């Protein structure tokens, strides 16, 4: 199991302000992962999840407030996650997170 597996309290500093969510990472055991990202605007499925060492990547198909493909990547360092969310022409917004303790 990857160090990325689990739940993460995340904040994305987007053009629409800070977006808080809980990212759930389920390690599939083959270098891929599946999960969801749930926040105030609903829950999105994480698609094409890949794990490469301490780095994870995935996409999300956002519909609200506008349809756009979000391309995400993050680096895991212990209980800290840092990365970015690319939202097409809006560029990349910084993302940070901390592991949710069971």
């Amino acid at each position: 199991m990857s160090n990325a597996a689990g739940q993460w309290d995340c904040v994305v500093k987007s053009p629409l302000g800070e977006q808080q969510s809980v990212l759930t990472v389920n390690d599939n055991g083959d270098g891929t992962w599946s999960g969801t990202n749930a926040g105030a605007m609903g829950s999105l499925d994480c698609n094409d999840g890949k794990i490469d060492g301490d780095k994870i990547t995935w996409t999300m198909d956002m519909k609200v407030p506008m349809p756009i493909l979000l391309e995400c990547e993050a680096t895991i360092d212990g209980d800290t996650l840092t990365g970015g969310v690319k939202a097409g022409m809006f560029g990349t917004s910084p993302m940070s997170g901390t592991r949710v303790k069971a």
Side-chain angles (χ1 to χ4, degrees):
M1 180 181 290
S2 155
N3 188 35
Q7 288 191 315
W8 299 86
D9 279 327
C10 295
V11 176
V12 175
K13 294 184 191 239
S14 81
L16 300 174
E18 286 192 357
Q19 305 296 316
Q20 295 185 341
S21 64
V22 175
L23 174 66
T24 301
V25 177
N26 301 306
D27 188 339
N28 296 329
D30 61 358
T32 68
W33 68 275
S34 56
T36 58
N37 193 33
M41 289 201 259
S43 180
L44 294 174
D45 289 332
C46 297
N47 303 309
D48 304 316
K50 294 180 180 53
I51 300 171
D52 183 10
D54 61 357
K55 182 178 175 182
I56 60 173
T57 57
W58 72 100
T59 62
M60 296 182 292
D61 191 15
M62 186 174 78
K63 303 289 188 208
V64 176
M66 69 186 73
I68 195 165
L69 180 67
L70 303 175
E71 298 173 76
C72 311
E73 68 174 38
T75 301
I76 309 297
D77 183 8
D79 291 335
T80 303
L81 173 151
T82 54
V85 177
K86 182 178 179 192
M89 65 185 175
F90 297 104
T92 301
S93 298
M95 173 178 51
S96 60
T98 55
R99 188 182 303 274
V100 176
K101 299 294 187 182

